[in-house]
Amino acid sequence: MRRPRTAEPLPPLAALVYRWSLDHGGVSAADRPTLAAELDGAAEEVERALDALRALGLLVPTAGALVPASPDSAVAELITPIELEIKELEHYAGDLTAQVHSLRAMYFESRRERNRREAVDVIEGQGRVRSLLDAYARRCTSEILSAHPGTTARAETEAWLPRSPGPERGVRVRTLFQHPVRASHELRELLDELSDEGCEVRTGDELPDRIVIFDRETAFLPSRAAQGGAVVVREPSTVDFLHRAVEQSWSTAVSYEARTATADRYGNAGDELKRAIIHLLAAGAKDEHIARRLSISVRTCRRHIAEIMLEMRASSRFQAGVNVLRSGLLSTAGYGDAFTADDPPGPAGGPRGLAGAPGLADVAG
């Protein structure tokens, strides 16, 4: 992809040299030693400034001297060719689009036939995945729903984040993250930007994997076979199942309020994160497994556990568990099916559903 061109900054003496030329009506070869002396600059610095002003059309060669020109006329001379080039490129892009789209009907007719045998495409290469995500976002007509687990770097998150002006076109855009993104300054800035763009943002306890769903018709999933690639699913029943799974996570997630911050940065999601830790503790999960499930560090996990014990007025994890059970914070729904062989669940399952449960401090009181 071609990087956009940027203008070089003016040399340090450029403004002073331009002012001198305005005051003296121009700069001749004989004037240059005097100019350098008056500006207390080296001759090569003055030459760099003169070259830059000449390149911008602010000094025009006339009768053996460089005569100052109006910035307005210089801009007109510089920008007009660029504007013409932009129009030519737009026309070229339109021609290319028309040529490619002339074959769309053929492609989708073939696609429908292939879908009877194959409803999945594997796209290789992060660049192609990004381009395809952008294309689907532009064509989307009703909804973009996405989930992004973990606390990866902003660039990695944005690689899977549709940023088309969906809300401006009446497209509902919903994005789901995990609670720990609220504690990341870099990712919190991204969430603020998404909110400003009209995107609905929420955070939840656990997300199994990254996913982007367009119009409840097409789902993008990370490819395990192709590094940086994606699996594009179009089979209606499968996409509907995936959409309902994300929708369920969305329904229990906590709304993100842009540009609000508390001491721990979690805001109104702080208690929800602690409840999730309680669930997993009650299921017998180890600290490392809890941290991995909730996308937090082991150190942060242990700090939250210590806070929970303090809030529950418990001197041990066992006592904290007893107090939690007595409080009614835990129901009978289990987490056990998600544990690994080396991190088995305990005899009691922890719940997912805690909507309407009292806060930890309320229980302790």
Side-chain angles (χ1 to χ4, degrees):
M1 180 177 179
R2 188 176 66 176
R3 296 177 61 86
R5 285 176 285 185
T6 57
E8 292 292 332
L10 285 172
L13 291 181
L16 295 175
V17 170
Y18 184 62
R19 178 58 183 265
W20 196 95
S21 71
L22 291 172
D23 293 342
H24 294 79
V27 180
S28 66
D31 292 330
R32 299 190 184 194
T34 304
L35 174 59
E38 290 186 13
L39 298 183
D40 195 23
E44 56 268 19
E45 293 178 347
V46 171
E47 288 301 323
R48 278 197 295 270
L50 290 170
D51 290 343
L53 293 169
R54 188 164 52 239
L56 291 174
L58 292 169
L59 291 179
V60 180
T62 304
L66 295 175
V67 178
S70 161
D72 290 339
S73 63
V75 166
E77 187 175 351
L78 287 170
I79 299 303
T80 299
I82 296 175
E83 290 177 340
L84 291 174
E85 183 181 357
I86 291 173
K87 290 181 180 179
E88 290 177 359
L89 288 173
E90 288 177 345
H91 183 71
Y92 178 56
D95 287 345
L96 289 177
T97 301
Q99 290 177 14
V100 173
H101 279 187
S102 67
L103 303 176
R104 285 185 69 193
M106 181 188 303
Y107 172 81
F108 284 112
E109 181 181 352
S110 173
R111 182 72 254 174
R112 281 193 296 271
E113 179 63 28
R114 288 174 58 197
N115 277 346
R116 297 177 184 176
R117 309 182 304 273
E118 176 190 1
V120 174
D121 280 338
V122 178
I123 309 301
E124 297 184 0
Q126 189 173 358
R128 295 197 66 186
V129 172
R130 178 73 259 176
S131 297
L132 200 56
L133 282 168
D134 290 341
Y136 270 86
R138 289 192 297 270
R139 295 201 299 263
C140 191
T141 59
S142 61
E143 178 191 63
I144 302 174
L145 176 62
S146 63
H148 307 272
T151 53
T152 56
R154 172 169 177 159
E156 185 176 343
T157 301
E158 287 190 300
W160 274 77
L161 192 62
R163 297 292 293 272
S164 72
E168 297 178 8
R169 298 187 289 111
V171 176
R172 186 184 185 191
V173 181
R174 294 184 291 161
T175 310
L176 185 59
F177 297 89
Q178 284 185 274
H179 294 317
V181 299
R182 295 171 180 254
S184 165
H185 176 74
E186 181 184 42
L187 294 178
R188 200 166 55 249
E189 283 186 343
L190 174 60
L191 267 58
D192 289 341
E193 291 175 13
L194 292 173
S195 299
D196 291 343
E197 293 169 8
C199 177
E200 301 173 45
V201 181
R202 292 187 183 183
T203 63
D205 300 336
E206 296 185 69
L207 297 175
D209 210 338
R210 198 179 304 277
I211 186 172
V212 183
I213 305 175
F214 297 97
D215 289 337
R216 305 190 184 192
E217 294 177 352
T218 307
F220 282 68
L221 298 165
S223 171
R224 295 291 178 264
Q227 183 67 28
V231 176
V232 183
V233 182
R234 302 182 186 86
E235 199 284 316
S237 297
T238 304
V239 175
D240 179 65
F241 171 81
L242 294 170
H243 186 276
R244 284 186 286 113
V246 180
E247 190 73 58
Q248 183 175 8
S249 297
W250 176 268
S251 67
T252 58
V254 180
S255 295
Y256 176 79
E257 299 176 5
R259 293 178 176 78
T260 59
T262 62
D264 63 0
R265 301 296 189 186
Y266 279 96
N268 54 352
D271 260 4
E272 295 300 320
L273 180 63
K274 289 182 179 179
R275 287 192 183 106
I277 292 174
I278 290 174
H279 300 162
L280 293 167
L281 281 173
K286 299 176 184 177
D287 295 353
E288 293 78 6
H289 187 76
I290 296 174
R292 190 163 56 250
R293 289 274 294 266
L294 302 181
S295 294
I296 57 178
S297 68
V298 175
R299 181 178 178 180
T300 299
C301 177
R302 288 171 178 163
R303 176 171 59 83
H304 285 310
I305 292 173
E307 292 173 357
I308 290 168
M309 291 176 61
L310 181 63
E311 292 177 19
M312 298 306 299
R313 299 177 183 176
S315 58
S316 67
R317 292 191 181 195
F318 176 78
Q319 185 180 356
V322 172
N323 291 349
V324 167
L325 288 171
R326 288 175 177 172
S327 73
L329 274 174
L330 295 182
S331 66
T332 57
Y335 267 45
D337 57 342
F339 286 94
T340 58
D342 63 334
D343 209 355
R352 285 184 184 272
L354 287 174
L360 297 175
D362 298 331
V363 172

